[in-house]
Amino acid sequence: MVSPPPGAAAVAARTGLRVGPAPPPLMGSQGRLGPPGNGGPGEGEGGEARKLQEGRVARGKRRKGKGKGKARAGQGGRGSGAEGKPGPQTAKEAAGPGAEAGARACPREEAEGGGSVEEGARGIIKGDEGSAGAGKEAQGREYRKKEAWRVRARRREGARPGRAQRQGGQAWADIPGTGVAMAAEAGEEEEEAARESAARPAAGPALWRLPEELLLLICSYLDMRALGRLAQVCRWLRRFTSCDLLWRRIARASLNSGFTRLGTDLMTSVPVKERVKVSQNWRLGRCREAILLKWRCSQMPWMQLEDDSLYISQANFILAYQFRPDGASLNRRPLGVFAGHDEDVCHFVLANSHIISAGGDGKIGVHKIHSTFTVKYSAHEQEVNCVDCKGGIIVSGSRDRTAKVWPLASGRLGQCLHTIQTEDRVWSIAISPLLSSFVTGTACCGHFSPLRIWDLNSGQLMTHLGSDFPPGAGVLDVMYESPFTLLSCGYDTYVRYWDLRTSVRKCVMEWEEPHDSTLYCLQTDGNHLLATGSSYYGVVRLWDRRQRACLHAFPLTSTPLSSPVYCLRLTTKHLYAALSYNLHVLDFQNP
């Protein structure tokens, strides 16, 4: 290595010229401008050292383009240019004897790249400026990173309009002036997503390119599990498999799905697929129990459902409550209170916007639901145990061993059309859907069947059902399911299903209560589900009429508060049971 002559340095000092080109300041360790590291050119090593310095400058520029603020120092060490200060190794120690001779020849020269003291000072000032502007540069880098991330995210989400719609507003919310544009773009993407979901997929098996009628026919042979898996393939198949036609066959074979045995849909406003989902909870016995109402003294309540209202008897009153939207709770304030009886209400029905009630005082009460109109008249000599009303005709049964027929017309209230001597206490009564006859269930204390059918127009006995009832097998509840089929239950612990088209001497099917408990009431969905209320511990049982054994049992009371289940009512989502001290609900929609 050849050092420049000392005279040249002295001349340069007098004339203010520099020996060799002054290198630009390098990037510091944190990306800020400052003086380069120690051990640069001009320290007694001439042009070769100058070439090393230029190489370092070039490398520093390349690293600056990548956003990294580090510059390698020369052979003698590395400076911390972020603060404009030399490194821990001094210039004299790194340069050797040549640098000491150059320093003696010209004290203004420094050991940094052949620059002067002014250059060093200028580098220090620039280093300070870089330190002052470091915050802004860091913010700028952070902003550029965020911008790059947003661009990449927007490219990724370009093919998924649903997620772009949800996340676009959040990704660009911090940029002013983009709210309206993002809202418009979100609306367009939503419309596009709706069109894509409704459109049939262009690619896929040739099966999906068949006409929809053929696809419906093919998919109608799939079971519930296969349809559920098929709905997970794509959006179009999810929409296609939600068609009610595909689920109707499955719903008719399910429990309490809103279809009758003849295929009539009783709940057209609810999608069939949703009803099938809830019916699985009925089949598996998954439900949540809650208490809707409580009362202090023991009662024998009866209840009826109509739309979103619940009517329940408490002592000599009938109270009307409105359900909350979930159907599993009530508004505590009753909508109306209907009174008129001197003793407890034993039974009541809803018909033609009227409440027809039977009381322990031997009277029948007629109340208009949406007004204060109330009429009561003496009907029997003893308590009226049961009542029914259809087609403007009222029938009642009493403990005085008679059944009577009454008109509902306002001008003829209280005029008895027929009085029938049943020769036994009447516990239950029901009118046929054809309005041609009615059936009575008695205490079975005589030598005849407790189930007898009477002509509604003449009051004459038409037939009696069954021939093998033991004495005391009274019928506590009876109901018509169709004009030719009916169900009955009572003291003999059996539920019997009768079909008048086959035989009146023997029931078609029967189910026995496993614990030999009296069955106070029954309820059916009109298809496969059957619910019964027992006399002990408030046990509610669910039956599948295609099986002999009980499906599920729900005890609603404990031993100290043992109570019969006096009344049952059900919908496709809930089951309501009235006991002596409270009203229970079993929620099958949200178990």
Side-chain angles (χ1 to χ4, degrees):
M1 304 293 290
V2 181
S3 301
V11 172
R14 286 193 299 269
T15 59
L17 300 176
R18 292 179 297 179
V19 180
L26 299 176
M27 294 294 295
S29 60
Q30 299 181 7
R32 293 173 290 190
L33 292 176
N38 300 326
E43 298 178 353
E45 295 180 343
E48 193 167 338
R50 197 177 303 119
K51 291 180 181 180
L52 291 175
Q53 178 66 18
E54 290 176 357
R56 287 197 297 271
V57 171
R59 287 195 298 272
K61 288 183 178 179
R62 286 197 299 270
R63 290 192 178 93
K64 180 179 179 181
K66 296 180 180 178
K68 297 180 180 180
K70 293 185 179 181
R72 294 190 178 274
Q75 299 177 356
R78 181 168 58 178
S80 62
E83 301 176 0
K85 298 178 182 180
Q89 188 177 9
T90 62
K92 291 183 179 181
E93 294 174 356
E100 293 179 2
R104 286 193 298 270
C106 182
R108 295 179 61 189
E109 290 182 356
E110 295 292 329
E112 296 194 12
S116 63
V117 176
E118 295 177 359
E119 293 294 330
R122 194 176 299 116
I124 293 174
I125 293 173
K126 290 184 178 180
D128 294 338
E129 292 176 356
S131 176
K136 293 184 178 179
E137 288 193 14
Q139 292 178 359
R141 285 196 307 276
E142 200 64 31
Y143 179 76
R144 285 193 294 273
K145 288 181 181 179
K146 288 184 179 179
E147 285 293 323
W149 180 84
R150 290 166 183 160
V151 171
R152 289 195 300 270
R154 188 168 54 177
R155 288 176 181 172
R156 286 196 305 269
E157 301 297 332
R160 292 179 287 182
R163 291 189 61 182
Q165 176 184 351
R166 293 192 300 268
Q167 298 177 357
Q170 298 176 2
W172 295 93
D174 55 345
I175 301 178
T178 58
V180 179
M182 289 301 299
E185 185 178 354
E188 294 176 0
E189 290 176 350
E190 183 178 356
E191 294 177 0
E192 183 179 355
R195 287 194 298 270
E196 287 182 0
S197 62
R200 187 180 298 202
L207 182 65
W208 307 139
R209 291 191 287 273
L210 292 175
E212 287 197 8
E213 292 78 6
L214 291 179
L215 282 177
L216 285 173
L217 179 61
I218 294 171
C219 294
S220 64
Y221 292 95
L222 300 179
D223 60 2
M224 178 177 57
R225 186 181 297 272
L227 283 176
R229 290 178 177 174
L230 189 61
Q232 300 175 2
V233 174
C234 64
R235 293 180 179 177
W236 184 82
L237 282 177
R238 182 177 182 180
R239 180 193 63 84
F240 180 78
T241 54
S242 298
C243 178
D244 285 352
L245 292 176
L246 293 177
W247 293 92
R248 187 180 295 271
R249 176 184 59 85
I250 300 174
R252 291 186 61 179
S254 302
L255 296 177
N256 198 16
S257 59
F259 285 87
T260 63
R261 185 176 292 271
L262 299 177
T264 305
D265 191 355
L266 303 178
M267 300 185 64
T268 56
S269 60
V270 182
V272 181
K273 182 179 179 180
E274 299 300 322
R275 285 183 271 167
V276 171
K277 289 181 181 179
V278 178
S279 71
Q280 301 309 305
N281 295 332
W282 289 88
R283 181 178 65 85
L284 299 174
R286 295 185 303 211
C287 64
R288 178 172 54 89
E289 180 188 346
I291 296 178
L292 294 182
L293 294 173
K294 292 182 179 182
W295 37 88
R296 296 180 180 178
C297 57
S298 178
Q299 307 280 345
M300 295 181 64
W302 193 259
M303 63 178 171
Q304 297 287 350
L305 301 179
E306 185 179 66
D307 298 331
D308 60 344
S309 300
L310 169 73
Y311 297 84
I312 187 167
S313 63
Q314 295 182 19
N316 58 337
F317 298 97
I318 299 175
L319 287 81
Y321 292 91
Q322 186 176 15
F323 284 109
R324 291 175 181 170
D326 59 355
S329 57
L330 294 171
N331 292 328
R332 293 301 179 183
R333 191 180 190 88
L335 293 175
V337 178
F338 304 92
H341 290 280
D342 299 328
E343 296 185 19
D344 290 354
V345 176
C346 301
H347 200 281
F348 71 91
V349 293
L350 305 178
N352 301 330
S353 300
H354 290 79
I355 300 176
I356 295 90
S357 59
D361 53 1
K363 297 180 180 179
I364 294 177
V366 179
H367 319 268
K368 279 192 175 182
I369 294 178
H370 303 293
S371 69
T372 58
F373 174 80
T374 298
V375 174
K376 64 176 182 177
Y377 52 88
S378 297
H380 294 270
E381 296 178 358
Q382 298 184 29
E383 63 185 49
V384 185
N385 293 323
C386 51
V387 67
D388 196 10
C389 178
K390 286 180 183 176
I393 298 295
I394 302 173
V395 292
S396 60
S398 172
R399 194 182 183 89
D400 63 0
R401 304 186 178 189
T402 61
K404 294 186 179 182
V405 182
W406 313 82
L408 184 59
S410 58
R412 303 177 61 188
L413 284 174
Q415 298 180 9
C416 180
L417 300 179
H418 303 291
T419 300
I420 300 169
Q421 300 295 329
T422 61
E423 300 179 3
D424 204 351
R425 292 167 292 177
V426 182
W427 297 126
S428 56
I429 199 166
I431 300 177
S432 168
L434 295 179
L435 304 179
S436 59
S437 60
F438 67 96
V439 60
T440 57
T442 59
C444 194
C445 293
H447 301 285
F448 43 79
S449 171
L451 284 173
R452 284 176 287 179
I453 297 177
W454 311 83
D455 186 86
L456 192 61
N457 297 320
S458 63
Q460 299 297 317
L461 177 66
M462 298 177 62
T463 185
H464 60 271
L465 303 178
S467 58
D468 54 352
F469 286 94
V475 177
L476 295 179
D477 198 6
V478 62
M479 62 180 297
Y480 273 95
E481 194 175 34
S482 72
F484 306 102
T485 59
L486 53 89
L487 290 160
S488 64
C489 68
Y491 284 111
D492 64 345
T493 72
Y494 279 92
V495 178
R496 290 182 171 88
Y497 178 63
W498 307 87
D499 192 336
L500 304 180
R501 297 167 295 186
T502 58
S503 173
V504 296
R505 298 302 178 189
K506 188 172 180 62
C507 64
V508 176
M509 198 168 185
E510 61 184 17
W511 299 269
E512 184 180 7
E513 216 282 335
H515 295 162
D516 292 335
S517 299
T518 299
L519 297 176
Y520 272 65
C521 56
L522 60 87
Q523 192 70 16
T524 178
D525 66 341
N527 196 2
H528 300 299
L529 181 68
L530 184 66
T532 59
S534 304
S535 59
Y536 294 116
Y537 311 119
V539 176
V540 175
R541 296 187 184 274
L542 298 182
W543 309 76
D544 189 342
R545 293 165 62 172
R546 295 164 291 189
Q547 304 174 10
R548 287 282 185 179
C550 172
L551 196 62
H552 299 289
F554 304 95
L556 302 181
T557 61
S558 57
T559 304
L561 298 175
S562 179
S563 165
V565 180
Y566 290 108
C567 186
L568 284 174
R569 291 292 179 267
L570 58 85
T571 64
T572 57
K573 301 176 182 179
H574 304 91
L575 186 144
Y576 305 94
L579 281 69
S580 298
Y581 292 94
N582 40 46
L583 174 64
H584 291 258
V585 59
L586 299 179
D587 186 358
F588 290 88
Q589 183 183 16
N590 301 303

